[in-house]
Amino acid sequence: MAIDRTEKAISERLKEKVEEAFADPGASVPAREVFRRLRACHAAQAAAEAK
């Protein structure tokens, strides 16, 4: 099914991104900043869905 292929592709891409993040020797983003970004993203999505 198309949904299964899409989910598999998303899962594989997510795994790649996680591996890249763990391999990156750069500075980490503080949890406070991560959650601020997540809240902003969630608020924007909720506002878009409310339209």
Side-chain angles (χ1 to χ4, degrees), residues 31-41:
R32 182 172 287 147
E33 175 63 16
V34 172
F35 283 104
R36 185 194 66 76
R37 291 179 191 177
L38 285 172
R39 283 190 293 274
C41 182

Side-chain angles (χ1 to χ4, degrees), residues 8-48:
K8 183 177 179 184
I10 291 171
S11 179
E12 289 174 1
R13 182 63 183 137
L14 180 59
K15 286 178 186 176
E16 290 172 6
K17 295 292 281 181
V18 168
E19 288 173 6
E20 288 173 14
F22 279 125
D24 184 1
S28 298
V29 177
R32 182 172 287 147
E33 175 63 16
V34 172
F35 283 104
R36 185 194 66 76
R37 291 179 191 177
L38 285 172
R39 283 190 293 274
C41 182
H42 177 69
Q45 287 177 345

